[in-house]
Amino acid sequence: MSGEMSRLLGRWGEEQAAEYLRGQRYRILACNWRCRYGELDIVARDGKTLCFVEVKLRRSERYGRAAEQVDGRKQQKLRQSAQAYLMLHPEDCPMRFDVIEIYARDGRMDRPPQIFHWKDAFS
């Protein structure tokens, strides 16, 4: 798969995740928020809880679950990015980190993906 196609598929996966969250009555506050520590794929509100959502897209589980890619190093980067976000957008509410796995069957965007949502995936 070309780099451009891979980027398009990644954006599509993030759009699918945001749409899924809206369907679950989350309010999307930011998508692809960037800072010097990295990127927050989605920042959303689930009722009174602020959620930092990492989206992982795969074509299959052939090489393991997508959520397994959010290792300790990635979690640390997400925590740092969340702290940077909170410096600019202060919040006094419960917070959590979620992971959404998107499985694009055969790497195709013309089929509905499988979506798995892991709430409070790490502390």
Side-chain angles (χ1 to χ4, degrees):
M1 182 179 300
S2 73
E4 180 63 24
M5 188 58 181
S6 187
R7 279 187 292 281
L8 286 172
L9 190 59
R11 290 285 179 212
W12 175 82
E14 290 172 355
E15 290 168 9
Q16 296 297 308
E19 200 56 41
Y20 164 82
L21 289 172
R22 285 186 193 98
Q24 299 296 310
R25 300 184 184 260
Y26 284 60
R27 187 164 54 98
I28 305 298
L29 304 176
C31 291
N32 306 112
W33 189 86
R34 293 173 192 212
C35 67
R36 68 183 196 155
Y37 302 109
E39 179 179 354
L40 298 170
D41 292 334
I42 299 173
V43 180
R45 197 172 269 293
D46 177 17
K48 294 183 180 183
T49 302
L50 185 64
C51 304
F52 299 99
V53 183
E54 176 69 6
V55 179
K56 288 296 184 189
L57 182 133
R58 296 288 180 270
R59 289 190 271 177
S60 73
E61 291 181 44
R62 182 182 208 169
Y63 300 106
R65 298 289 309 217
E68 293 170 359
Q69 299 301 310
V70 186
D71 60 11
R73 185 174 154 271
K74 179 64 175 178
Q75 290 176 22
Q76 183 61 27
K77 288 182 79 165
L78 291 170
R79 283 188 194 96
Q80 290 172 322
S81 297
Q83 287 175 340
Y85 179 89
L86 291 169
M87 293 293 288
L88 295 174
H89 309 279
E91 295 278 350
D92 184 23
C93 62
M95 293 174 227
R96 71 173 193 246
F97 292 90
D98 293 0
V99 174
I100 292 184
E101 297 177 320
I102 304 284
Y103 291 96
R105 296 178 203 140
D106 303 320
R108 296 182 54 173
M109 295 182 280
D110 61 345
R111 297 180 180 177
Q114 286 185 297
I115 299 175
F116 298 94
H117 185 183
W118 303 96
K119 294 181 181 182
D120 204 14
F122 59 93
S123 304

